[in-house]
Amino acid sequence: MAEKDKKSLADLAALTSEPAEAPAAEAAAPEAEAVEETAAPEVDAAETAEAPEAEAAAPEADAPEAEAEAAAPARAARSEGDDRGDRRRGRDEEVNKDGVDTQGPQIQAILREQQLDKQGRAYATGRRKDAVARVWLKPGTGKIIVNGRDQEVYFARPTLRLIINQVFSVADRVGQYDVVATVVGGGLSGQAGAVRHGISQALTRYEPGLRTTVKREGFLTRDPRVVERKKYGRAKARRSFQFSKR
């Protein structure tokens, strides 16, 4: 009997102790939730505080990349300019190898076609002062005929013959071409200049490759200098009459 009473008392104690623990656990649950709620705003505040710092640091990190992107076109332009300069220098060097004096970028001239008549001669017209010369040029032994006479007979002065043969000396073609010329107008000096101008034109038409060499010496350009006209009230173009005081 006594044992049954002890068991019933123990069971009663167990029954009474369980409801006491449950309210304690229920009371502890709100406290834990409150702690969690207080901790969560602190975490959110920390995250929000770190976010602007990260955003502020992001532009700083992107700044070098933006500068690099901005500098890329400039570097590309410089590299293209260097490449163009190298190509230009290379082209100039090639022109220099051909014996052409170059200063800055050069454009190689287009080679012209040979111009010959039915007899295989090159024809050209030369002018100087009032003289006009018609010139026919063909390969030969270097004989020059002016108005049906040999150059030594027609141009007796050595300086005039030197003027005529300047073109062949510059082009390194002395004694390789025969020339037949007819010239009218002006004096011997003007006629010699007209024949030289005609020979220069005809030689470049027979050998277009010599045009650069002859042109550089100025033989292809017509000399525009002519006699100035006389003015009224003066003895000549600029010469005044002798002054008489009385």
Side-chain angles (χ1 to χ4, degrees), residues 31-47:
E31 293 178 358
E33 292 176 359
V35 171
E36 291 178 358
E37 291 178 357
T38 54
E42 292 178 357
V43 174
D44 296 338
E47 291 178 355

Side-chain angles (χ1 to χ4, degrees), residues 197-233:
H197 186 218
I199 292 174
S200 303
Q201 296 281 358
L203 183 62
T204 56
R205 292 177 183 177
Y206 199 93
E207 289 191 51
L210 297 176
R211 183 177 178 83
T212 302
T213 303
V214 177
K215 186 177 180 64
R216 186 169 57 241
E217 298 297 329
F219 295 152
L220 296 180
T221 304
R222 196 259 201 242
D223 193 344
R225 296 176 297 175
V226 295
V227 177
E228 188 176 352
R229 67 171 289 269
K230 181 188 178 303
K231 279 82 175 180
Y232 54 84

Side-chain angles (χ1 to χ4, degrees), residues 113-204:
E113 296 182 357
Q114 192 181 44
Q115 300 178 20
L116 304 178
D117 58 9
K118 294 180 180 179
Q119 287 77 28
R121 303 174 300 179
Y123 169 77
T125 302
R127 291 180 174 84
R128 173 77 170 95
K129 295 184 179 179
D130 286 337
V132 180
R134 296 184 299 167
V135 178
W136 290 267
L137 180 142
K138 65 180 180 179
T141 59
K143 189 175 182 179
I144 299 177
I145 303 296
V146 180
N147 288 344
R149 288 182 286 177
D150 190 79
Q151 62 170 342
E152 295 181 354
V153 177
Y154 194 87
F155 297 112
R157 283 183 287 175
T159 54
L160 300 180
R161 295 197 298 272
L162 179 64
I163 291 173
I164 293 175
N165 289 278
Q166 276 182 328
V167 184
F168 297 122
S169 299
V170 169
D172 195 16
R173 296 292 187 274
V174 177
Q176 298 183 19
Y177 287 96
D178 288 343
V179 176
V180 176
T182 59
V183 58
V184 294
L188 290 177
S189 177
Q191 289 182 355
V195 172
R196 184 185 69 178
H197 186 218
I199 292 174
S200 303
Q201 296 281 358
L203 183 62
T204 56

Side-chain angles (χ1 to χ4, degrees), residues 81-100 102 104-108:
D82 295 340
D83 294 341
R84 286 196 297 270
D86 294 339
R87 291 195 297 270
R88 188 180 298 114
R89 285 192 293 273
R91 185 169 62 251
D92 292 345
E93 290 175 359
E94 291 179 359
V95 175
N96 285 330
K97 291 177 183 177
D98 296 335
V100 179
T102 60
Q106 297 288 328
I107 300 175
Q108 292 185 356

